[in-house]
Amino acid sequence: MEETSCNIIRFVRNKDPSRRTEAVVFDSCSCVKIEPTGSEGRYSIGFYTIRIVGGLVEIRDNNDNLLFREIEFKTQKDRAMWSHVLVEDARLYGFGGKDGPLDKRKWRRIVLRNTDPTMRYRSPEADPLYLNIPFYIMAKKGYAVGVYIDSPSYMEVHIDKKKGVITVEKIGTDLDVYIILGSSVKEVLDGYVKITGKPYMPPLWVLGFHQSKWSYKSEEEVMFIAKKFREYNIPCDAIHLDIDYMDGFKPFTWHPGRFPNPKHMIEQLHSMGFKVVVIVDPYIKIDDRDKLFLEGINKDYFVKDKKGGIFVARGWPGKSAMPNFLREEVRKWWGELYLRFYREYGVDGFKNDMNEPSTETRLRSYLGLGVKPKNMVFCRNGECLEIEKVGNIYALLECMGVYSTLRKTGRRFFILSRSGFAGIQRYSANWTGDIWSTWRHIRASVSMLLNMSLSGLFFIGADIGGFFPPFKKTNRKLYLRWIQLGVFYPFMRAHYAKARPPQEPWCFGKEALEIARRYIELRYSLLPYIYSLFRRAHIDGELIFRPLFYDFPYDEKAYDIDDQFMFGPSILVAPILHRKDQREIYLPGGYWLDYWSGEVYSGPKSISYTADLSIIPIFVRDGGILVFQEPQRYVGEKKVEKYDILVFSKERAGEFVIYEDDGISYDFERGIYTETKIMASPTQIQIKILHRGYEGVQHLRLRIFMEMKPKEVILDDSKYRFSYHDRWLEIETTKTNHEIRIEI
Ligand code: GLC
């Protein structure tokens, strides 16, 4: 056992503790190591007491409250079984991308095996899905304990609700567990991020709107879509190219007939303000004339089968070999291919798909002709491991290789990954895969994304409008409700499958186009707020898309809400997730400002709210501060001249740090950024420059919600001009240290 930080305790069985997976970045060298003599012992660490009795661990706090207790550990053939107590009334969250209710205590069995569920995804019971993480949080009011199992092997978790026991059954006899103790989910997630790393800081354009389809099939079609966005003045930053841009679906190629001049096309798109994201699948066509295949064969870079030959997958290009990302040199090789593709054609981002790994093309899997991955064998340093021992880490290692190679350019890229593992937050965004165009799935997207957040993923989204089924168009109402919700996904992309009627924002009639435009514009107006949230995530591991109990840990009811969320600290979003325009909304304690009507509510209370199709219910928290800018058609279209800062501080004080940098390079790591803290209370606002390393926006317009007209506004000891209209006090000032007093 090892003490790694005062609230993280690691214990290792049947494994050399110096071995860690690539998911772990925590360097505990400076930490105290405790070597238990035999399997008995008692240790005091910070606020906690750890007892080991009969080889089993028990952790209590200073007041002797039980926080964590093991019940059993045993090995059987090549498996380990481990049980511990699930404290009464504690909810259970985590495990990665999971459908179904947010509280996983309601589940009986959870499977951790990265897989492509294909059409099974339609059912809420489909488990596992693409992205699984052996990390979970047990939480209730005043109590939160996290468990991270550092193993890439397949696992099953059984929950005995009645007895209050969790049993983990894993492949391999080792068990390497980090227990993270805290009084809130926030503290536990802090600990988890310490272990597996902070989310990466994306370039600013990535936070704009992305439009995607499987596939825009030719240069003409891509240009048509791009022009429509500009013609209709709908902001959009990225167009995604799906598998049909490739020649015979071979990675890093272009189809000569459909995309005869990709470099020129990308230049044109860039000049219109678009970025280009291309899909990459880890399938290399088995073909003796194919250069990439020959190189991989000669260097022995491919995944093997159990007999020592190449594992033959059925990928998009047909019979395919798959790179063995467990080896560092293969990751480098793969990364270099991306880099070359960028240098040659100027693409701006990559979508790493089918990296569970999915070893069968979709069509084959529907027809039941798929090749199952169970025969895959991954060799490195003379050791060969079957997929069930390492499979869950494949996508993480792929993204790790791609990210580190692209980083050398000094430019921030965009990587989107379907699968993943603990630590994937350091390299890529993730989405929820092939979600359906149904009311059930728009609803599921909220609880799934909340659960992904609680699994340490920050940069997440779902296919806006829904991806499947083929042949059928999403209905207009669902599309609009989804666009409205998507404004508040950390990653905002519309994407849909082949053989569906067109589903771009202008395909649902004039009124729908106006509504969609208005909401995409809202996203662009909110970019300074959103970018600042990403900075907080990057620096402090603070969640962006978060459950109500993250901000209201003492509100018992908040733990059960999974159809509303907080978007950063200031905005509560209660999306409409069904045909009806009415819904119940739970507002936790304190005042809430209805963003649209200006009505002030006082929580805790549930309200019934009717939102016609032009409205998604959003509320500003008391003490909430939002930062807006003029919407643009794409990031960087015009110089941003002014921030509009909305302040709602009725009773509670609040603060928000605005973050600015160049949005594209890594210069921020050398201090080239600016942080401006806005602190607000009902009668005072302070602007404080915390760090000035980048010029950014100078002009600030404060819009302060005040029920009564103030008598005077004092800025830095002098009377200052202001305007007051319809409960909004407006003050124009500059981005320097200021003290503003409001006399009422
Ligand atoms: C998978 C992906 C989807 C993509 C399709 C074709 O289904 O999840 O996003 O469009 O493959 O490449």
Side-chain angles (χ1 to χ4, degrees):
M1 190 171 67
E2 186 182 343
E3 182 207 356
T4 45
S5 152
C6 40
N7 69 332
I8 301 172
I9 295 153
R10 176 182 181 213
F11 50 93
V12 182
R13 292 181 171 102
N14 301 336
K15 181 179 167 185
D16 168 3
S18 68
R19 289 188 72 167
R20 293 175 159 88
T21 70
E22 289 81 352
V24 174
V25 292
F26 200 49
D27 178 11
S28 59
C29 300
S30 59
C31 300
V32 191
K33 251 195 159 179
I34 305 166
E35 301 289 352
T37 38
S39 52
E40 311 289 323
R42 188 191 168 93
Y43 312 92
S44 254
I45 296 173
F47 302 117
Y48 309 106
T49 305
I50 295 146
R51 282 201 305 154
I52 304 177
V53 182
L56 297 173
V57 175
E58 182 181 298
I59 308 174
R60 289 180 182 269
D61 66 12
N62 278 349
N63 300 325
D64 209 34
N65 293 317
L66 179 71
L67 300 177
F68 180 80
R69 191 171 83 217
E70 291 187 335
I71 297 174
E72 187 177 36
F73 174 78
K74 64 179 186 203
T75 59
Q76 219 171 48
K77 285 194 192 141
D78 201 15
R79 277 161 192 264
M81 314 259 276
W82 177 61
S83 309
H84 65 82
V85 168
L86 172 57
V87 171
E88 208 186 335
D89 295 336
R91 276 81 162 181
L92 185 63
Y93 308 109
F95 304 106
K98 299 279 171 202
D99 198 348
L102 183 57
D103 180 6
K104 301 294 177 271
R105 197 181 178 120
K106 295 183 181 145
W107 293 33
R108 290 224 307 273
R109 174 171 169 259
I110 292 168
V111 179
L112 302 179
R113 170 166 49 84
N114 287 354
T115 192
D116 178 355
T118 64
M119 292 289 193
R120 280 178 295 119
Y121 194 7
R122 192 177 182 183
S123 139
E125 272 93 53
D127 184 57
L129 304 175
Y130 316 90
L131 194 168
N132 295 277
I133 300 182
F135 167 59
Y136 50 94
I137 306 176
M138 302 175 282
K140 62 178 178 179
K141 198 169 152 182
Y143 165 90
V145 171
V147 176
Y148 168 61
I149 305 170
D150 188 32
S151 165
S153 76
Y154 292 166
M155 294 178 209
E156 266 188 35
V157 181
H158 299 271
I159 297 149
D160 188 329
K161 221 175 15 181
K162 269 204 201 123
K163 287 194 192 142
V165 175
I166 295 186
T167 303
V168 177
E169 191 179 335
K170 66 174 284 297
I171 308 285
T173 55
D174 61 299
L175 187 74
D176 184 353
V177 179
Y178 293 76
I179 304 290
I180 312 160
L181 305 157
S183 58
S184 68
V185 166
K186 199 165 188 227
E187 269 176 56
V188 169
L189 280 165
D190 272 5
Y192 174 74
V193 164
K194 258 191 215 146
I195 300 167
T196 61
K198 293 192 169 147
Y200 93 116
M201 189 67 203
L204 184 54
W205 66 265
V206 176
L207 305 185
F209 179 66
H210 299 234
Q211 179 64 51
S212 178
K213 176 193 176 175
W214 168 25
S215 304
Y216 296 121
K217 269 195 151 168
S218 64
E219 201 170 304
E220 289 77 59
E221 198 181 346
V222 173
M223 293 314 295
F224 171 81
I225 296 293
K227 283 180 191 144
K228 282 278 177 217
F229 269 99
R230 294 298 176 248
E231 184 185 318
Y232 288 124
N233 274 321
I234 305 167
C236 180
D237 259 271
I239 296 192
H240 287 224
L241 304 184
D242 211 301
I243 51 175
D244 295 284
Y245 78 86
M246 293 181 270
D247 183 14
F249 304 123
K250 289 186 283 188
F252 314 108
T253 64
W254 292 93
H255 190 280
R258 294 197 296 265
F259 291 88
N261 201 346
K263 194 167 176 203
H264 175 70
M265 176 190 77
I266 293 174
E267 275 164 12
Q268 253 182 305
L269 289 168
H270 282 169
S271 70
M272 294 165 72
F274 289 98
K275 302 282 191 286
V276 178
V277 179
V278 293
I279 194 167
V280 179
D281 295 311
Y283 299 130
I284 295 165
K285 190 176 173 63
I286 298 185
D287 174 355
D288 288 342
R289 290 156 308 173
D290 187 85
K291 257 175 56 192
L292 204 56
F293 174 69
L294 289 176
E295 196 184 343
I297 279 284
N298 290 337
K299 295 185 171 157
D300 194 20
Y301 279 174
F302 295 133
V303 178
K304 301 277 169 61
D305 65 16
K306 284 189 176 157
K307 294 189 186 129
I310 296 176
F311 175 83
V312 181
R314 293 288 178 153
W316 294 119
K319 288 188 181 173
S320 315
M322 304 192 85
N324 175 9
F325 298 128
L326 265 78
R327 287 172 50 198
E328 204 183 336
E329 61 274 38
V330 179
R331 297 201 286 271
K332 274 204 184 132
W333 172 62
W334 196 244
E336 289 293 333
L337 293 166
Y338 284 62
L339 185 61
R340 208 183 312 155
F341 208 57
Y342 154 66
R343 292 212 165 117
E344 247 170 84
Y345 301 104
V347 294
D348 308 273
F350 298 92
K351 163 172 161 184
N352 286 342
D353 198 17
M354 310 296 263
N355 54 358
E356 291 71 28
S358 172
T359 53
E360 49 218 291
T361 51
R362 196 157 288 289
L363 191 61
R364 293 189 74 86
S365 69
Y366 300 150
L367 301 176
L369 295 172
V371 175
K372 296 276 175 268
K374 64 176 191 296
N375 282 325
M376 290 181 103
V377 174
F378 299 81
C379 302
R380 72 171 154 192
N381 308 330
E383 185 187 27
C384 290
L385 297 167
E386 280 134 26
I387 190 159
E388 66 249 39
K389 291 208 173 124
V390 284
N392 285 347
I393 208 165
Y394 191 74
L396 172 74
L397 297 180
E398 178 188 33
C399 294
M400 190 169 166
V402 175
Y403 176 89
S404 14
T405 316
L406 292 176
R407 229 208 109 118
K408 288 194 258 173
T409 59
R411 177 188 162 165
R412 280 181 262 164
F413 276 84
F414 174 54
I415 305 172
L416 175 64
S417 177
R418 192 168 73 175
S419 184
F421 186 66
I424 191 83
Q425 72 274 11
R426 307 195 299 259
Y427 311 118
S428 81
N430 295 100
W431 88 107
T432 54
D434 300 344
I435 206 157
W436 285 58
S437 297
T438 60
W439 291 103
R440 184 188 93 63
H441 263 130
I442 187 178
R443 165 80 178 77
S445 81
V446 176
S447 49
M448 278 181 84
L449 292 178
L450 283 173
N451 194 61
M452 285 166 88
S453 281
L454 291 166
S455 307
L457 302 165
F458 296 77
F459 196 8
I460 45 179
D463 289 347
I464 292 171
F467 177 80
F468 269 146
F471 310 114
K472 215 176 138 216
K473 185 171 169 182
T474 294
N475 83 59
R476 172 174 168 274
K477 192 165 196 180
L478 178 63
Y479 178 80
L480 286 177
R481 290 302 190 196
W482 218 321
I483 279 275
Q484 294 170 340
L485 167 61
V487 170
F488 305 98
Y489 286 164
F491 169 51
M492 186 184 189
R493 179 185 73 155
H495 178 53
Y496 65 101
K498 223 181 179 69
R500 302 191 76 181
Q503 212 164 280
E504 285 73 26
W506 51 86
C507 303
F508 300 86
K510 197 161 168 279
E511 192 202 351
L513 166 66
E514 310 262 300
I515 297 176
R517 184 198 295 118
R518 201 152 10 98
Y519 275 91
I520 300 175
E521 280 178 358
L522 175 63
R523 169 81 178 194
Y524 277 73
S525 304
L526 268 173
L527 280 179
Y529 176 76
I530 301 174
Y531 198 51
S532 304
L533 297 183
F534 272 83
R535 169 70 177 182
R536 289 274 70 79
H538 177 66
I539 294 298
D540 302 328
E542 189 176 321
L543 291 186
I544 299 169
F545 188 96
R546 53 219 222 183
L548 301 193
F549 60 81
Y550 187 80
D551 293 279
F552 298 89
Y554 294 102
D555 182 335
E556 188 63 41
K557 188 161 166 132
Y559 286 83
D560 290 324
I561 307 273
D562 62 1
D563 60 353
Q564 295 175 211
F565 58 94
M566 295 294 293
F567 187 59
S570 306
I571 310 178
L572 182 148
V573 184
I576 303 288
L577 303 167
H578 42 236
R579 260 183 217 95
K580 281 186 305 187
D581 290 339
Q582 180 275 339
R583 64 161 291 166
E584 293 297 301
I585 298 174
Y586 178 64
L587 298 170
Y591 290 104
W592 295 92
L593 174 73
D594 180 330
Y595 177 78
W596 303 110
S597 70
E599 190 170 336
V600 176
Y601 294 88
S602 134
K605 76 150 132 335
S606 291
I607 57 170
S608 166
Y609 196 103
T610 303
D612 70 43
L613 202 47
S614 67
I615 294 247
I616 176 173
I618 46 182
F619 299 84
V620 184
R621 186 182 181 183
D622 193 10
I625 296 168
L626 302 182
V627 190
F628 295 93
Q629 67 185 32
E630 269 284 298
Q632 309 196 349
R633 292 187 306 169
Y634 54 91
V635 166
E637 184 192 12
K638 298 174 251 177
K639 186 168 184 308
V640 180
E641 299 291 350
K642 181 171 70 180
Y643 286 150
D644 257 312
I645 302 179
L646 182 155
V647 176
F648 173 56
S649 173
K650 192 170 154 60
E651 226 168 50
R652 183 175 169 267
E655 55 181 55
F656 189 77
V657 178
I658 308 173
Y659 175 76
E660 301 170 284
D661 66 14
D662 68 8
I664 193 76
S665 77
Y666 286 95
D667 285 355
F668 68 90
E669 292 180 348
R670 295 187 290 116
I672 307 187
Y673 67 87
T674 289
E675 274 186 343
T676 311
K677 190 170 182 172
I678 312 287
M679 287 164 282
S681 67
T683 54
Q684 208 174 15
I685 293 182
Q686 246 183 302
I687 302 170
K688 199 167 171 207
I689 309 289
L690 300 181
H691 179 91
R692 192 195 289 278
Y694 179 79
E695 191 183 332
V697 171
Q698 295 308 315
H699 184 168
L700 307 182
R701 185 165 70 134
L702 298 164
R703 293 185 63 233
I704 305 153
F705 184 86
M706 303 226 73
E707 256 131 342
M708 304 249 295
K709 184 174 179 185
K711 284 201 202 98
E712 241 160 41
V713 168
I714 314 286
L715 181 124
D716 302 332
D717 297 327
S718 319
K719 272 195 192 175
Y720 198 69
R721 63 183 184 281
F722 66 91
S723 67
Y724 181 85
H725 179 69
D726 198 15
R727 292 182 302 163
W728 289 97
L729 162 67
E730 279 190 23
I731 304 168
E732 309 243 351
T733 180
T734 48
K735 197 177 71 190
T736 30
N737 292 338
H738 284 305
E739 289 246 3
I740 301 168
R741 261 190 10 253
I742 303 162
E743 311 262 319
I744 35 179

